[in-house]
Amino acid sequence: MDMMLLLLTIGIFTGFFVQTITGFAGALIALPFLLFVMPLPDAIGYLSIFYFISSPIHVYKEWKYIDKPLLKKLALSSFFGLLIGIIVLAYGQPVILKKALGVFIILFVLNSLKANKEIQLISKMKYFFGFLGGFFSGVFSTGGPLYLVIVKNETSDVKTLRATMFGVLGLITFMRIPVLAFEGILTVNQLYNSLYVLPFFILALILGKKVYLKLNELFLKRIMLGLLFLSGIMLLIKN
């Protein structure tokens, strides 16, 4: 196995192991490994392939816990944001937007630590934040943390939070695949290489589910906020 396939395997395994536990952060964990051996568009192509496989599994298993009304509210605005984000990905990478998202996420986490009430501004601007989530999912594959901000603000328990995140990211994935293919970012070679990684990816889903079942709700919420804070820091420091 060459270095590209090795780091692809490590990135996908660790990313989707964490993704299965928390409902998000797959791209956050996987991207640093992938970007060592490939450009950002290729990395997003690979991530989209494995999200495409995992999303139906997670959505099917967690369907009864998903906040469907919230998912519907985010769908249309997310699509337009995603479309614009992928066009930007194909023709440029506005780093300043990435850093602004990092600052916003860090401020949200700090606010969450001092108060357990919802932020009314976010509740009133679901469509705008849905657009931003789609945009950053398209251009940097970092929409997950932004969607977590919305979903955490709108849900009361961790099961609904985690399941709704699976629903939102699944929706984004199914929107993203045809656009990535049309823009030439998703390739046949990526599909071929993904076959080598598939057994490790399946193992990550199985182990992640086993770990999730052993965690209590308070600890899981702390993990989510920790990963959210980490994502903000990474967005700030990484070019």
Side-chain angles (χ1 to χ4, degrees):
M1 182 180 291
D2 62 24
M3 183 59 68
M4 193 280 289
L5 282 177
L6 177 61
L7 289 178
L8 176 62
T9 300
I10 294 172
I12 294 299
F13 175 84
T14 54
F16 283 89
F17 173 73
V18 173
Q19 174 86 19
T20 303
I21 296 171
T22 64
F24 87 113
L28 165 67
I29 302 298
L31 271 175
F33 294 98
L34 273 57
L35 292 177
F36 269 114
V37 288
M38 64 186 71
L40 179 62
D42 287 353
I44 291 177
Y46 281 112
L47 285 168
S48 297
I49 291 169
F50 288 102
Y51 272 115
F52 186 79
I53 299 170
S54 66
S55 292
I57 298 171
H58 291 314
V59 169
Y60 175 77
K61 290 183 176 180
E62 307 293 336
W63 178 254
K64 64 181 178 180
Y65 298 114
I66 293 175
D67 185 335
K68 284 87 170 178
L70 179 58
L71 193 61
K72 289 178 182 177
K73 289 176 183 177
L74 294 174
L76 185 61
S77 58
S78 293
F79 172 76
F80 287 109
L82 180 71
L83 187 62
I84 294 173
I86 289 177
I87 292 172
V88 173
L89 172 67
Y91 299 103
Q93 296 173 24
V95 174
I96 187 65
L97 293 177
K98 196 174 183 181
K99 296 188 183 300
L101 175 59
V103 171
F104 171 78
I105 288 171
I106 291 170
L107 291 176
F108 176 83
V109 172
L110 294 176
N111 181 82
S112 297
L113 292 175
K114 68 177 184 179
N116 289 321
K117 59 184 180 179
E118 70 174 27
I119 302 173
Q120 293 298 322
L121 178 62
I122 294 177
S123 295
K124 293 176 181 179
M125 300 178 67
K126 294 185 189 74
Y127 298 106
F128 177 66
F129 280 102
F131 175 86
L132 289 180
F135 175 80
F136 283 102
S137 292
V139 71
F140 296 122
S141 199
T142 52
L146 189 51
Y147 281 120
L148 184 65
V149 169
I150 305 168
V151 177
K152 183 181 183 299
N153 205 57
E154 296 293 318
T155 55
S156 58
D157 66 272
V158 75
K159 282 187 176 180
T160 303
L161 168 58
R162 176 176 174 269
T164 305
M165 284 300 298
F166 283 138
V168 170
L169 296 179
L171 182 67
I172 285 294
T173 296
F174 280 89
M175 291 177 178
R176 182 164 54 183
I177 288 289
V179 184
L180 288 174
F182 178 78
E183 291 289 343
I185 295 171
L186 191 64
T187 67
V188 174
N189 188 56
Q190 290 170 354
L191 295 172
Y192 177 77
N193 287 335
S194 296
L195 294 176
Y196 289 98
V197 184
L198 191 58
F200 301 96
F201 165 77
I202 294 171
L203 180 61
L205 300 188
I206 295 171
L207 294 178
K209 181 66 173 181
K210 288 183 180 296
V211 171
Y212 164 72
L213 293 174
K214 294 182 181 297
L215 298 178
N216 63 52
E217 183 169 321
L218 178 60
F219 186 64
L220 189 56
K221 282 184 176 180
R222 288 174 177 171
I223 291 175
M224 288 180 173
L225 279 177
L227 288 172
L228 197 57
F229 185 79
L230 176 62
S231 73
I233 296 295
M234 290 183 67
L235 288 168
L236 281 177
I237 65 177
K238 190 170 183 62
N239 293 325

